[in-house]
Amino acid sequence: MSTAATLPIHEVIPALRRALTLHRLVVLQAPPGAGKSTSLPLSLLGEPWLAGQQIIMLQPRRVAARAVAARLAEGLGKSPGRGRVPCALRVADLGQDPH
């Protein structure tokens, strides 16, 4: 059995698929390490209602964003930052006072 299949998120993926079929927006809350950022997007890519759409993942830190992009690209057999797994980082300078 693969590691992804043993993550806690794996148990709720069928219910989440049904919810996403019925609703445009679904909020998912799960503890760190449950597979929200890595297993879930890969599980949803083949859904017919997602055809021509994107899954956008938001991460609070640059390191996390890069790590998730690399993990998703690996799961797809691709290189991060290209093709189906683009990675964009917002740069904000919080050290300067705008006034």
Side-chain angles (χ1 to χ4, degrees):
M1 182 179 285
S2 72
T3 304
T6 62
L7 292 171
I9 200 73
H10 185 71
E11 296 174 17
V12 299
I13 287 176
L16 188 56
R17 279 189 178 121
R18 285 190 299 277
L20 287 167
T21 300
L22 298 171
H23 306 284
R24 244 187 97 145
L25 177 68
V26 174
V27 176
L28 175 65
Q29 182 178 353
K36 300 178 300 292
S37 299
T38 53
S39 294
L40 185 59
L42 296 174
S43 298
L44 297 177
L45 280 178
E47 292 298 316
W49 46 262
L50 192 58
Q53 304 294 316
Q54 295 179 337
I55 296 175
I56 298 173
M57 303 298 300
L58 303 176
Q59 295 294 323
R61 291 172 293 286
R62 281 189 244 175
V63 172
R66 287 187 179 117
V68 168
R71 193 79 171 269
L72 292 173
E74 180 184 326
L76 292 169
K78 306 285 182 187
S79 296
R82 304 217 190 293
R84 291 186 83 182
V85 191
C87 181
L89 303 173
R90 181 183 65 125
V91 179
D93 185 357
L94 302 177
Q96 294 182 346
D97 185 6
H99 301 291

